[in-house]
Amino acid sequence: MVAEGRQRIDRWLFFTRAVKSRSLAAKLVVAGRVRINRDKAAQASDLVKPGDVLTITLDRRIFVWKVLGAGVRRGPAEEARTLYEDMSPPPAAKADALPDAIPALREAGSGRPTKKERRQTDRLLDED
């Protein structure tokens, strides 16, 4: 039987709307993307209680949530936010982030590059 105030981590993640389903929550835990008080959660059946600090990695973002209570149902987002306190660091500023792609060497609107121009671009990148 589950102790008072404790809840399975997969159910808690589902109730807080961190994931769309319990099966996705279980996969997240088994993949090692959830930590409970700095220790990796090994199974979806691991229990969380109020006061625990969870570190969750989702889609290149890291969430740090303090558990405030156990959930009863998957309700609206306002209800889900009452189950945790968000202690996540603020996201990095756009200027500090690395660019996702190499900036274009051509002027906008000048058409597709030719094979010769692509080779020259590749040579320039290889020299760096």
Side-chain angles (χ1 to χ4, degrees):
M1 189 73 189
V2 177
E4 186 64 34
R6 290 180 165 255
Q7 189 168 39
R8 287 174 55 114
I9 185 70
D10 61 338
R11 289 188 75 196
W12 191 86
L13 289 170
F14 176 63
F15 290 157
T16 59
R17 298 179 155 266
V19 291
K20 290 186 177 184
S21 68
R22 272 187 68 187
S23 60
L24 287 175
K27 288 178 185 177
L28 190 72
V29 172
V30 172
R33 297 184 179 271
V34 178
R35 292 180 175 267
I36 304 171
N37 297 326
R38 294 188 177 183
D39 297 324
K40 271 189 184 176
Q43 302 175 12
S45 62
D46 287 349
L47 300 176
V48 293
K49 64 184 182 308
D52 285 347
V53 176
L54 302 180
T55 306
I56 306 162
T57 306
L58 281 174
D59 299 329
R60 298 183 186 170
R61 292 192 59 200
I62 297 174
F63 297 101
V64 180
W65 289 351
K66 183 176 181 180
V67 179
L68 298 179
V72 179
R73 66 184 186 117
R74 183 179 168 94
E78 295 80 26
E79 183 180 322
R81 278 189 226 109
T82 63
L83 299 177
Y84 63 89
E85 175 188 345
D86 192 1
M87 300 173 12
S88 303
K94 291 278 186 183
D96 296 339
L98 295 174
D100 288 340
I102 298 169
L105 300 175
R106 302 171 49 85
E107 292 183 24
S110 62
R112 285 181 62 172
T114 64
K115 192 170 188 177
K116 182 178 178 182
E117 290 171 334
R118 286 196 311 262
R119 286 185 188 138
Q120 289 173 346
T121 305
D122 290 342
R123 285 190 199 121
L124 291 174
L125 294 175
D126 289 340
E127 291 176 5
D128 291 339

